[in-house]
Amino acid sequence: MNITVIGSGFGGLTAAIRLQAQGHQVTVIEKRDKPGGRAYVYEQDGFTFDGGPTIITAPWLIHDLFALCGKKTEDYVDIIPIDPFYNIRFEDGSIFRYNSDRENLLRQIREFNSADEEGYLRFARAGEKIFKTGFELIDQPFTTFGSMTKVLPDLVRLQAQKSVASFVNQYIKDERLRQVFSFHPLLIGGNPFQSTSIYALIHTLEQRFGVWFAMGGTGALVRALVKLFEEMGGKLYLNTEASEIVINEQNKQAEGVRTSDGQFFPAQIVVSNADVAFTYMNLVQARYRQKNTDQKLKNMQYSMSLFVLYFGTDRKYENMAHHEILMGPRYKGLLDDIFKRKILAKDFSLYLHRPTATDPSLAPEGHDAWYVLSPVPHLGGNTDWTTMVKPYRDSIVQYLEERYMPDLSKHIVTEHTIDPLHFRDTLNSYLGSAFSVEPILTQSAWFRPHNVSEDISNLYFAGAGTHPGAGLPWSHEFR
């Protein structure tokens, strides 16, 4: 069959490779001048900046993809484990160096609060049970309500109605440790105080399999997947923006994709790796959407957006690890501002990425490449990003300089920013959400936008807004 995939993010490339390996003729069309979607790469002044996802937590899914094509990952890209996974820093000066060394974790827990050691062990055992059941749920589609009812007893048994934070707080009392073991939903666009406790499995996933990095940056993994896809006979068209999924009037099936420059790509199956809400509301005419109406999509809750500053320094800050989580003075209050009140707070918690800690080739010799990411409300709030970019950028740099990176402002030699307007206008994400549909219980599994459209039987979805959600890598299988 001829299959057209809209978007070349990880979900789109993975789907395209699997379908090409099955013997179909697959074409991927991409709006931008480079593949990768959220994993776009910015290159300037000798620095290489990964645009988006930087944390690989299930490398075997990547290896499985290459093996499916009779290839080996290491012939295309070098993926290595990193340690620590994260340094988690608090404003009182304490640092939790997070990895999979159980004795290291227990020693640090004792230093933070000796009474929490036993609680952590009970939390870890409970997390193992969630992982055993929950990871199986991730890798299967939920296209019927019957498929959902089969797992409801498991969800009840695993306390899926609780949030990750409330689940963790049952076991751990120290406020800093509570943050250490509950922040993970933020990595996939979720609020730890709203995301289902099923996402506590991320801790077990990391403990079992580690955190990994693609040498050359995440962009090297994108290039490896594109090379594999094209070697298999697939075709990739860049600077080619989808404008409409053309539906046949008689059988109500997709018959191809029309692009903004007037091209038409005929297809017996269409896969969208574009934002789910954008795909339905902008690419499929409303008269063909009895289930996925504009109103239904607008009524869903969407994840936060992001402000990201990419910058290069003409010196190295060796005290900073590859991944740094910088916790601000507030936790729940800040998250309420972002997710509920949708206001831009004056304080923040930050994710600081320093890939040159692992791969110095991403910057000129003696320099460091960075990005600092701040979760911010999506465009459902009233922040005017046309005026806020500069003051917000300055406040983040000042914060880093005062607390962690002396004289930072004097050493920044190149920079670039993205904000919620970028997610809306360049990445076509509804409300400028960085992770699409928010991962809460009532928007998970069957309740999440389905991998197979209920309206158009040959329209499929891969990516953050559909099941299983955001993250690198999740496997999108097409059977």
Side-chain angles (χ1 to χ4, degrees), residues 363-421:
E365 187 174 355
H367 295 55
D368 264 333
W370 307 82
Y371 79 57
V372 59
L373 174 157
S374 179
V376 297
H378 64 51
L379 295 172
N382 59 5
T383 303
D384 181 1
W385 284 103
T386 62
T387 61
M388 277 306 300
V389 168
K390 179 70 164 60
Y392 198 68
R393 174 263 183 213
D394 290 348
S395 66
I396 289 175
V397 170
Q398 181 181 355
Y399 180 85
L400 292 174
E401 185 169 82
E402 289 176 352
R403 289 191 165 271
Y404 302 110
M405 303 170 70
D407 299 321
L408 173 61
S409 56
K410 298 177 184 176
H411 292 286
I412 294 176
V413 293
T414 190
E415 64 180 83
H416 172 71
T417 61
I418 63 173
D419 58 61
L421 297 177

Side-chain angles (χ1 to χ4, degrees), residues 249-271:
E249 289 278 359
Q250 278 69 47
N251 62 19
K252 304 299 188 289
Q253 289 198 328
E255 57 184 24
V257 179
R258 185 170 288 119
T259 61
S260 56
D261 62 0
Q263 294 185 77
F264 179 71
F265 291 85
Q268 290 149 294
I269 286 177
V270 174
V271 180

Side-chain angles (χ1 to χ4, degrees), residues 239-256:
N239 300 301
T240 306
E241 182 176 7
S243 61
E244 182 185 5
I245 297 172
V246 179
I247 309 300
N248 183 289
E249 289 278 359
Q250 278 69 47
N251 62 19
K252 304 299 188 289
Q253 289 198 328
E255 57 184 24

Side-chain angles (χ1 to χ4, degrees), residues 158-434:
L158 296 173
Q159 305 179 56
Q161 78 283 359
K162 292 187 175 182
S163 70
V164 170
S166 62
F167 182 78
V168 169
N169 293 355
Q170 295 176 108
Y171 302 100
I172 294 171
K173 302 307 177 189
D174 185 272
E175 178 56 32
R176 296 165 302 171
L177 292 175
R178 285 178 165 184
Q179 295 177 34
V180 166
F181 296 110
S182 70
F183 80 88
H184 288 91
L186 287 164
L187 301 177
I188 54 172
N191 180 347
F193 292 90
Q194 294 175 216
S195 298
T196 168
S197 63
I198 294 297
Y199 289 102
L201 67 78
I202 298 175
H203 174 70
T204 304
L205 176 67
E206 290 179 338
Q207 292 302 297
R208 285 194 182 187
F209 301 106
V211 168
W212 299 69
F213 174 73
M215 294 298 285
T218 312
L221 179 57
V222 172
R223 293 189 293 273
L225 295 180
V226 168
K227 181 181 179 184
L228 176 64
F229 173 61
E230 292 182 333
E231 284 179 354
M232 299 286 291
K235 296 179 180 178
L236 170 65
Y237 291 83
L238 300 174
N239 300 301
T240 306
E241 182 176 7
S243 61
E244 182 185 5
I245 297 172
V246 179
I247 309 300
N248 183 289
E249 289 278 359
Q250 278 69 47
N251 62 19
K252 304 299 188 289
Q253 289 198 328
E255 57 184 24
V257 179
R258 185 170 288 119
T259 61
S260 56
D261 62 0
Q263 294 185 77
F264 179 71
F265 291 85
Q268 290 149 294
I269 286 177
V270 174
V271 180
S272 179
N273 183 217
D275 181 74
V276 171
F278 179 89
T279 299
Y280 276 127
M281 289 194 283
N282 293 274
L283 302 184
V284 180
Q285 293 184 34
R287 60 197 175 107
Y288 298 118
R289 295 187 279 113
Q290 301 301 309
K291 297 277 190 183
N292 293 283
T293 62
D294 284 10
Q295 195 57 52
K296 177 183 177 182
L297 293 160
K298 289 176 180 178
N299 285 342
M300 300 189 82
Q301 289 180 224
Y302 291 85
S303 79
M304 80 281 199
S305 192
L306 301 172
F307 177 89
V308 189
L309 169 65
Y310 307 90
F311 62 98
T313 56
D314 61 6
R315 60 156 287 189
K316 287 182 170 289
Y317 287 88
E318 300 288 7
N319 59 312
M320 307 305 279
H322 189 129
H323 300 296
E324 297 274 355
I325 309 294
L326 311 179
M327 292 297 189
R330 299 184 301 150
Y331 190 46
K332 187 175 187 302
L334 177 62
L335 294 171
D336 284 345
D337 283 349
I338 295 169
F339 285 89
K340 294 182 178 180
R341 292 186 282 270
K342 295 180 175 59
I343 60 175
L344 187 64
K346 292 184 178 179
D347 61 319
F348 26 66
S349 291
L350 304 170
Y351 163 54
L352 184 64
H353 181 229
R354 182 190 170 222
T356 39
T358 304
D359 186 354
S361 72
L362 297 171
E365 187 174 355
H367 295 55
D368 264 333
W370 307 82
Y371 79 57
V372 59
L373 174 157
S374 179
V376 297
H378 64 51
L379 295 172
N382 59 5
T383 303
D384 181 1
W385 284 103
T386 62
T387 61
M388 277 306 300
V389 168
K390 179 70 164 60
Y392 198 68
R393 174 263 183 213
D394 290 348
S395 66
I396 289 175
V397 170
Q398 181 181 355
Y399 180 85
L400 292 174
E401 185 169 82
E402 289 176 352
R403 289 191 165 271
Y404 302 110
M405 303 170 70
D407 299 321
L408 173 61
S409 56
K410 298 177 184 176
H411 292 286
I412 294 176
V413 293
T414 190
E415 64 180 83
H416 172 71
T417 61
I418 63 173
D419 58 61
L421 297 177
H422 168 86
F423 285 94
R424 183 191 69 187
D425 300 337
T426 301
L427 295 174
N428 293 345
S429 188
Y430 180 61
L431 292 176
S433 163

Side-chain angles (χ1 to χ4, degrees), residues 85-150:
F85 301 163
Y86 325 95
N87 281 344
I88 305 169
R89 297 176 185 260
F90 298 92
E91 293 217 324
D92 64 2
S94 57
I95 307 172
F96 195 97
R97 304 185 191 281
Y98 183 102
N99 63 11
S100 58
D101 181 336
R102 176 61 66 88
E103 285 307 311
N104 171 61
L105 294 182
L106 292 176
R107 177 185 54 77
Q108 292 183 89
I109 289 168
R110 288 193 295 270
E111 291 173 358
F112 273 64
N113 180 19
S114 60
D116 277 328
E117 181 177 5
E118 178 55 36
Y120 168 76
L121 293 171
R122 289 189 289 115
F123 161 72
R125 288 193 292 270
E128 289 279 352
K129 294 177 183 177
I130 291 177
F131 178 86
K132 184 177 180 181
T133 300
F135 210 78
E136 292 176 1
L137 303 182
I138 284 172
D139 208 30
Q140 61 175 285
F142 287 88
T143 55
T144 66
F145 188 68
S147 62
M148 184 71 182
T149 57
K150 290 178 183 177

